[in-house]
Amino acid sequence: MVKIMRKVIIFFYLIGIYGCFCQTQKHNYQVQEKFLKNFYFEYLIKTDIDKYDKVVIRQNYQKIMNAYCTENLVNKINGMQENYELSYDPFIKAQDYHISLLDFIIIKKNPIKKGNYLVSYRYKNQSEKERINIDIQVAKVNGNLKIIGVDNIN
């Protein structure tokens, strides 16, 4: 009887640990999703061509990139843009965009790749089938969340 009780106690103990682990994972994903929402909000607001001139936009862009992305990713994107290997904004997958897409952004955890998120958006005049999808990798770097990759740029 004592052996059975021990097994029952161990079983419930393991279920409790697993439940805590799942809650922690869920919390981590929520924190990372909020991080990405903040990134896109700041990114789109502070690089709005209708609101700022090109010099201010470039300064804001660099500040945002340095705050949210790893130095390696920033250097990679800048290098690709300077060498004309990348002719569009990798976080939007377009050359031009409008702040109104903030109303239609959806950020979801990638069910296949750990630490990856699927960001999608559409414009008001587009259907749900026309969503643009972007794969973004997020990780903790020196205790802070950072974007470490975007659509195979890492």
Side-chain angles (χ1 to χ4, degrees), residues 2-151:
V2 173
K3 287 183 179 181
I4 293 173
M5 288 301 291
R6 271 192 217 152
K7 288 180 181 180
V8 169
I9 290 170
I10 290 171
F11 173 75
F12 284 111
Y13 176 75
L14 292 174
I15 287 176
I17 289 174
Y18 180 75
C20 289
F21 175 75
C22 290
Q23 288 296 335
T24 301
Q25 288 291 91
K26 183 178 178 183
H27 174 72
N28 288 343
Y29 288 127
Q30 289 171 337
V31 168
Q32 291 173 348
E33 285 177 12
K34 183 172 173 50
F35 168 79
L36 285 173
K37 285 179 185 176
N38 290 342
F39 165 74
Y40 271 95
F41 181 79
E42 191 169 350
Y43 190 79
L44 293 169
I45 295 285
K46 292 189 176 177
T47 61
D48 184 358
I49 60 173
D50 294 335
K51 191 173 182 180
Y52 300 105
D53 66 40
K54 288 183 181 187
V55 172
V56 173
I57 289 173
R58 188 69 185 153
Q59 290 170 344
N60 289 345
Y61 174 82
Q62 285 304 319
K63 285 179 189 174
I64 294 165
M65 293 293 285
N66 291 333
Y68 286 91
C69 301
T70 61
E71 183 178 353
N72 185 46
L73 181 61
V74 171
N75 292 338
K76 179 81 172 181
I77 290 171
N78 288 341
M80 290 176 74
Q81 288 171 337
E82 288 169 8
N83 294 326
Y84 303 103
E85 297 172 51
L86 187 63
S87 61
Y88 60 91
D89 184 313
F91 295 102
I92 307 296
K93 274 193 172 174
Q95 289 179 338
D96 299 315
Y97 50 88
H98 191 268
I99 194 169
S100 65
L101 69 84
L102 269 175
D103 295 333
F104 300 98
I105 276 189
I106 296 174
I107 299 171
K108 293 182 182 178
K109 179 179 67 147
N110 186 325
I112 299 169
K113 298 178 183 176
K114 184 181 176 183
N116 284 32
Y117 289 83
L118 301 172
V119 177
S120 69
Y121 73 89
R122 69 176 178 85
Y123 287 100
K124 185 178 181 176
N125 61 345
Q126 292 178 307
S127 72
E128 284 298 313
K129 293 177 187 175
E130 296 176 284
R131 283 190 162 275
I132 307 297
N133 297 297
I134 303 130
D135 186 49
I136 296 185
Q137 299 85 45
V138 176
K140 273 203 172 183
V141 177
N142 299 326
N144 297 313
L145 285 176
K146 292 285 187 174
I147 298 171
I148 61 171
V150 57
D151 272 342

